[in-house]
Amino acid sequence: MLAFLRQAPSPLYGRRGVDLDFPMLAGCLALLGLGLVMITSASSEVAAVNSGNPLYHMIRHLIYVVLGLGAGAAMLLVPLSFWQRMDWMLLLAAFGLLILVLLPGIGREVNGSMRWIGFGAFNVQPSELAKVFVVIYLAGYLVRRQEEVRESLWGFAKPFLVLLPMAFLLLLEPDFGATVVMMGAAVAMLFLGGVGMIRFSLLVIAAVGAVVVLVQTQEYRLQRLITFTDPWADQYGAGYQLTQALIAFGRGEWFGVGLGNSVQKQFYLPEAHTDFVFSVLAEELGMIGALATIALFAFVGVRALYIGLWAEKARQFFAAYVAWGLAFLWLGQFLINVGVNVGLLPTKGLTLPFLSYGGSSLVVTCASMALLLRIEWESRTVLGSEDTEFDESDFAEPSAKEVAHGR
């Protein structure tokens, strides 16, 4: 395997040196830098009280950033054909991790949820890996069964024989937010795969119905929905977190109270450095800073969608579906997190990609970024096609065909 990676062309080395999509890379690195600054600010009071070191969470977050960038560099070395061949193995690994996290003694319970597997001082969240593995598996399925998906109801339904059990395991944790994001990305990929509008409309209706049933079957979900519609009715109880987030937005006004000067992070707003870091950002940087952050993330998300489009034009359909799936994961999680922070959606435990504190989320996000950069490079250099499988001999010499970037 190592010999294979050394021989395979890579965007990290070659005739043109480092050959990456720099607009995409710059946007992601800007979000990572902003996230590090905001984690340092939002967590300082909590860290000082809990650990005696106001930079405790900043140091851990910086370690996660380094690990994430290292994982991203490794991902850049791996050809997409490897992931296409491994899609079933990755799917089985996702199921294995989601089962392990539910086992007593292996999974760690935090705030009433079994979402983490402990490794010493660090926790791994299997749902973060599972979402990416599902995207890779579904991309491979859409390439293998493209005509069946477009023309047959059975071809369209078969992926749900895999997706529904995985969603069930996520709900057992419980992790309703990750379930919604994963299923949303899968539905979007199927739509782009050419599913007819009638079948797609039926799927959307069924999905909405399932969400309604799931909300009503669990009292805490129903309570969150009721509280979200009028958080001020119980502002010191169930609506406390949302009302404090809204106060943070109000205090920020247009230009903010200044970096590090947030009042809400001083134990008024729970989870200020994780799920509600965007509220602290809006308080300290104001409406202008919040809109600039949204614009930067919109640029990264749209760029990811265009990377998928470029791969499709290069007839690399597996790469295109992976890029679209990752883009929908990012955009879905971003919209839900920001929607929760501003009071447009019920409270959910979803981190903000690139910005929130959380090791698993950050490392997987960086790896996804690298996968998108690899897709863009392969589609631009015409390294692969939908009908080609690669082995070590294909990469013995650097590719002779290289086209200008032109983007």
Side-chain angles (χ1 to χ4, degrees):
M1 179 64 183
L2 292 177
F4 173 54
L5 294 180
R6 284 195 296 269
Q7 292 176 354
S10 167
L12 291 181
Y13 53 83
R15 299 177 186 176
R16 301 172 66 178
V18 178
D19 187 14
L20 297 171
D21 181 9
F22 284 104
M24 180 67 170
L25 179 62
C28 292
L29 291 180
L31 286 171
L32 282 174
L34 178 62
L36 181 61
V37 171
M38 292 314 305
I39 293 302
T40 304
S41 175
S43 67
S44 59
E45 301 294 332
V46 174
V49 171
N50 293 340
S51 68
N53 179 7
L55 299 180
Y56 173 80
H57 291 297
M58 184 276 285
I59 294 172
R60 286 177 64 92
H61 189 76
L62 184 59
I63 292 173
Y64 294 144
V65 170
V66 172
L67 290 175
L69 293 177
M75 290 288 288
L76 286 171
L77 300 175
V78 183
L80 288 172
S81 58
F82 172 80
W83 302 115
Q84 187 171 1
R85 290 194 296 268
M86 293 291 292
D87 59 353
W88 268 104
M89 297 297 293
L90 295 176
L91 183 68
L92 293 176
F95 271 108
L97 289 171
L98 292 179
I99 292 172
L100 283 175
V101 77
L102 297 173
L103 299 179
I106 298 179
R108 283 187 177 179
E109 183 175 346
V110 180
N111 296 329
S113 298
M114 296 279 288
R115 301 181 186 177
W116 294 268
I117 297 176
F119 292 94
F122 299 95
N123 293 325
V124 174
Q125 192 169 358
S127 61
E128 295 293 337
L129 289 169
K131 288 183 291 187
V132 176
F133 291 170
V134 163
V135 165
I136 293 175
Y137 160 75
L138 195 53
Y141 175 82
L142 288 172
V143 171
R144 293 191 302 270
R145 307 289 185 179
Q146 190 172 56
E147 292 302 318
E148 189 177 358
V149 169
R150 292 179 177 180
E151 299 176 3
S152 166
L153 180 61
W154 176 236
F156 164 68
K158 278 197 291 188
F160 291 96
L161 298 177
V162 171
L163 294 173
L164 292 179
M166 187 166 291
F168 178 72
L169 290 172
L170 287 171
L171 291 173
L172 288 178
E173 296 183 4
D175 196 343
F176 187 65
T179 306
V180 171
V181 170
M182 183 191 74
M183 296 300 288
V187 169
M189 290 174 68
L190 287 169
F191 178 73
L192 292 175
V195 172
M197 283 302 299
I198 295 178
R199 280 172 287 159
F200 183 76
S201 300
L202 292 174
L203 175 62
V204 171
I205 294 172
V208 172
V211 170
V212 172
V213 171
L214 288 171
V215 168
Q216 293 181 340
T217 53
Q218 291 290 337
E219 180 64 28
Y220 81 94
R221 294 190 191 120
L222 185 60
Q223 185 60 43
R224 281 184 176 182
L225 185 62
I226 296 172
T227 303
F228 138 76
T229 57
D230 186 12
W232 302 102
D234 189 15
Q235 60 177 309
Y236 297 110
Y240 179 78
Q241 200 169 29
L242 180 53
T243 56
Q244 295 303 314
L246 294 176
I247 290 172
F249 277 90
R251 292 193 74 253
E253 298 184 348
W254 283 101
F255 298 102
V257 297
L259 189 62
N261 294 327
S262 168
V263 171
Q264 293 306 105
K265 70 181 181 181
Q266 299 178 13
F267 302 98
Y268 290 101
L269 179 60
E271 309 295 339
H273 60 296
T274 55
D275 300 345
F276 284 86
V277 68
F278 189 74
S279 296
V280 177
L281 184 150
E283 183 182 3
E284 296 189 348
L285 304 183
M287 181 63 71
I288 300 301
L291 291 177
T293 303
I294 292 173
L296 181 58
F297 201 94
F299 167 76
V300 169
V302 172
R303 187 79 176 182
L305 292 173
Y306 268 102
I307 287 175
L309 180 62
W310 296 331
E312 183 187 40
K313 289 182 177 179
R315 300 190 64 77
Q316 298 182 23
F317 296 120
F318 172 77
Y321 290 130
V322 171
W324 287 329
L326 294 177
F328 288 126
L329 287 180
W330 284 3
L331 291 171
Q333 199 158 324
F334 176 80
L335 290 174
I336 292 175
N337 183 279
V338 173
V340 167
N341 275 254
V342 300
L344 293 177
L345 294 172
T347 304
K348 293 308 305 170
L350 278 177
T351 57
L352 189 60
F354 293 105
L355 269 71
S356 291
Y357 178 81
S360 297
S361 174
L362 192 62
V363 171
V364 171
T365 299
C366 289
S368 301
M369 171 194 70
L371 190 54
L372 285 165
L373 292 173
R374 176 83 195 196
I375 290 170
E376 188 276 337
W377 178 78
E378 288 200 13
S379 64
R380 175 161 43 86
T381 55
V382 198
L383 189 61
S385 76
E386 77 281 16
D387 298 321
T388 304
E389 291 287 345
F390 296 104
D391 55 34
E392 295 185 17
S393 63
D394 293 310
F395 299 103
E397 297 294 334
S399 174
K401 282 189 176 181
E402 291 189 5
V403 295
H405 195 297
R407 291 176 189 156

